[in-house]
């Protein structure tokens, strides 16, 4: 995928950026001249340009390193729609870009004012005025910078999906053992807890038997309810199903130790069958606790029983699909 995971720098707070700007400007020196006025004018202009360069390059770096949401793969696009306020995101970037332009024009304006002055004090006065105005432009985008830093944290934590790798998505009710299965059959190390809804986002793992590489996606638990009633964690699972899976493994827990009965679980399975036109393999987990006489594949993530067979099913299916 790349684009979404390009390095985004930490976004400084307004005050930090103002400090950085002044710190650099303070260090500026110019060659000694016996003409005090000429020297002070040069110095003031050099400081203004340095302050400008620091502020503008920092702000432009932000604008250039955040991704254009609309250009991302639909999975990321919809995930970010869910996790970020897209309007605020766009508005923040355009305000930051505006601020950079504003500081550039202030710098030109004050530099040319200083060129025209006839007294040292006037040069100093205009230099100070520039500092004040540049700092206030940066203060004006305080909220926008904070929002971008928040967005950065979200973007950095997005799962690093390989959109061109054959992909299986593991889905089912909460607590049925999805994460435990994924951790046993792939490199992923999702958190496994004895309470429902542990998995709060999409977790990726990979499986490689030397012949085929398969991406395995663990999803948060889903309840059987309409999309508009789903919370944002469940919606992430839906997005993985919609945009990433070529195959769904639907995990059932006939022991019902997950806290949900089979009837509810089967209703969800039927709902997914009706709404996603992706092949679904349904399996019964926790076979160490309960083995029904259904014809479904029986596995136990806990003991490992049946996992090889599950892997074979997945590999055969995805190999023939590719
Ligand atoms: N006895 C038994 N327990 C299992 C098995 N698989 C998972 N568990 C237990 O079931 C509980 C839930 O497992 P998870 O893997 O976290 O379930 P999940 O489906 O990922 O749950 P959510 O992320 O909340 O949707 C944990 O306590 C697991 O140890 C199994 O095959 N047998
Ligand atoms: Mg889980």
């Amino acid at each position: 995928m790349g684009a979404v995971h390009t390095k985004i720098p930490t976004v400084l707070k307004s005050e930090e950026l103002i400090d950085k700007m002044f710190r650099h400007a303070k260090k500026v020196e110019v060659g000694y001249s016996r003409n005090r006025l000429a020297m002070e004018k040069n110095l003031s202009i050099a400081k203004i340009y340095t302050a400008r360069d620091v502020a503008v390059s920092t702000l432009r770096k932000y604008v250039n390193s955040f991704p254009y949401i609309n250009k991302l793969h639909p999975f990321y696009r919809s995930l970010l729609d869910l996790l970020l306020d897209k309007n605020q995101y766009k508005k923040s970037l355009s305000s930051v870009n505006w601020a950079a332009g504003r500081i550039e024009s202030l710098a030109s304006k004050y530099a040319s004012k200083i060129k025209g002055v006839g007294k040292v004090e006037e040069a100093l006065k205009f230099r100070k005025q520039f500092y004040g105005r540049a700092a206030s432009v940066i203060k004006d985008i305080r909220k926008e910078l904070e929002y971008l830093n928040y967005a950065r944290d979200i973007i950095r934590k997005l799962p690093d999906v390989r959109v061109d790798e054959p992909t299986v998505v593991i889905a089912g009710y909460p607590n049925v053992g999805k994460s435990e299965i994924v951790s046993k059959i792939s490199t992923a190390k999702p958190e496994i807890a004895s309470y429902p809804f542990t998995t709060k986002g999409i977790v990726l793992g990979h499986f490689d038997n030397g012949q085929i590489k398969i991406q395995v996606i663990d999803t948060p638990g889903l309840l059987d309810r309409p999309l508009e009633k789903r919370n944002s964690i469940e919606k992430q699972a839906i997005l993985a199903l919609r945009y990433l899976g070529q195959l769904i493994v639907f995990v059932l827990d006939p022991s019902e130790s997950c806290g949900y009965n089979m009837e509810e679980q089967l209703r969800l399975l039927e709902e997914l069958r009706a709404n996603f036109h992706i092949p679904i393999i349904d399996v019964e987990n926790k076979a160490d606790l309960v083995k029904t006489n259904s014809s479904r594949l029986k596995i136990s993530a806990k003991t490992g029983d049946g996992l090889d067979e599950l892997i074979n099913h997945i590999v055969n299916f995805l190999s023939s699909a590719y």
Side-chain angles (χ1 to χ4, degrees):
M1 185 64 218
V4 77
H5 280 91
T6 51
K7 278 210 165 66
I8 304 175
T10 326
V11 180
L12 297 176
K13 293 181 170 43
S14 281
E15 307 75 51
E16 294 169 331
L17 178 54
I18 293 169
D19 280 354
K20 182 177 170 185
M21 181 173 83
F22 287 151
R23 215 169 43 241
H24 282 79
K26 209 171 160 185
K27 283 190 255 170
V28 173
E29 291 172 3
V30 289
Y32 176 78
S33 156
R34 277 165 57 185
N35 181 341
R36 167 103 201 279
L37 176 61
M39 198 177 90
E40 286 297 342
K41 284 164 73 166
N42 283 342
L43 182 63
S44 290
I45 291 170
K47 282 177 182 286
I48 285 176
Y49 285 162
T50 295
R52 173 201 63 189
D53 291 347
V54 168
V56 170
S57 68
T58 305
L59 295 173
R60 291 256 152 84
K61 185 175 62 190
Y62 300 157
V63 174
N64 295 328
S65 59
F66 278 89
Y68 272 109
I69 295 184
N70 288 341
K71 288 192 183 160
L72 298 174
H73 183 275
F75 167 70
Y76 285 120
R77 209 160 58 209
S78 19
L79 193 54
L80 285 177
D81 256 347
L82 203 60
L83 301 173
L84 287 176
D85 176 342
K86 209 159 77 178
N87 284 330
Q88 197 171 351
Y89 177 79
K90 281 190 191 158
K91 197 190 139 272
S92 299
L93 284 172
S94 73
S95 300
V96 167
N97 192 39
W98 169 85
R102 183 78 188 122
I103 290 170
E104 274 174 335
S105 70
L106 284 170
S108 308
K109 180 173 148 190
Y110 280 91
S112 79
K113 281 189 184 211
I114 290 172
K115 278 178 195 147
V117 301
K119 286 189 190 142
V120 169
E121 301 76 59
E122 283 175 341
L124 295 179
K125 182 187 80 185
F126 283 137
R127 191 213 296 180
K128 259 191 140 164
Q129 273 183 18
F130 168 78
Y131 284 164
R133 295 188 67 179
S136 103
V137 168
I138 296 173
K139 276 185 202 146
D140 282 348
I141 54 164
R142 184 175 56 83
K143 285 218 172 81
E144 286 79 2
L145 291 174
E146 275 170 16
Y147 192 75
L148 289 180
N149 207 33
Y150 165 79
R152 172 186 189 257
D153 283 342
I154 288 177
I155 293 170
R156 274 168 13 118
K157 286 185 203 135
L158 291 177
D160 192 8
V161 173
R162 304 189 190 158
V163 285
D164 39 14
E165 205 165 285
T167 298
V168 56
V169 179
I170 315 296
Y173 252 76
N175 229 15
V176 297
K178 298 179 295 299
S179 295
E180 186 129 12
I181 294 169
V182 168
S183 77
K184 292 274 169 72
I185 67 170
S186 82
T187 55
K189 293 289 157 267
E191 196 194 333
I192 294 157
S194 52
Y195 45 83
F197 289 112
T198 355
T199 304
K200 300 202 164 47
I202 284 137
V203 180
L204 294 180
H206 299 273
F207 163 86
D208 186 349
N209 66 358
Q211 262 140 52
I212 186 172
K213 272 190 190 150
I214 290 171
Q215 180 167 245
V216 182
I217 300 188
D218 183 23
T219 61
L222 281 169
L223 298 178
D224 167 43
R225 55 186 175 191
L227 187 64
E228 62 272 16
K229 295 226 169 104
R230 296 197 186 286
N231 59 35
S232 115
I233 295 172
E234 286 182 88
K235 281 181 182 158
Q236 295 186 45
I238 298 284
L239 294 180
L241 294 172
R242 176 161 303 144
Y243 294 112
L244 301 176
Q246 281 108 32
L247 175 66
I248 299 173
V249 168
F250 188 87
V251 182
L252 293 155
D253 173 6
S255 80
E256 302 182 348
S257 65
C258 61
Y260 307 96
N261 64 39
M262 275 298 267
E263 202 181 318
E264 294 171 287
Q265 296 181 54
L266 289 168
R267 247 198 332 259
L268 174 62
L269 172 60
E270 288 323 309
E271 197 204 304
L272 295 187
R273 285 223 161 95
N275 286 292
F276 295 92
H277 303 286
I278 312 164
I280 301 183
I281 303 179
D282 43 330
V283 302
E284 294 180 7
N285 188 34
K286 307 195 187 177
D288 53 304
L289 299 178
V290 171
K291 258 200 176 109
T292 70
N293 49 23
S294 78
S295 62
R296 288 188 194 97
L297 176 62
K298 316 262 178 307
I299 62 173
S300 166
K302 190 174 183 178
T303 65
D305 270 358
L307 290 181
D308 285 343
E309 207 175 329
L310 174 62
I311 290 172
N312 283 341
H313 275 309
I314 296 171
V315 166
N316 288 341
F317 183 89
L318 290 175
S319 310
S320 62
Y322 266 74

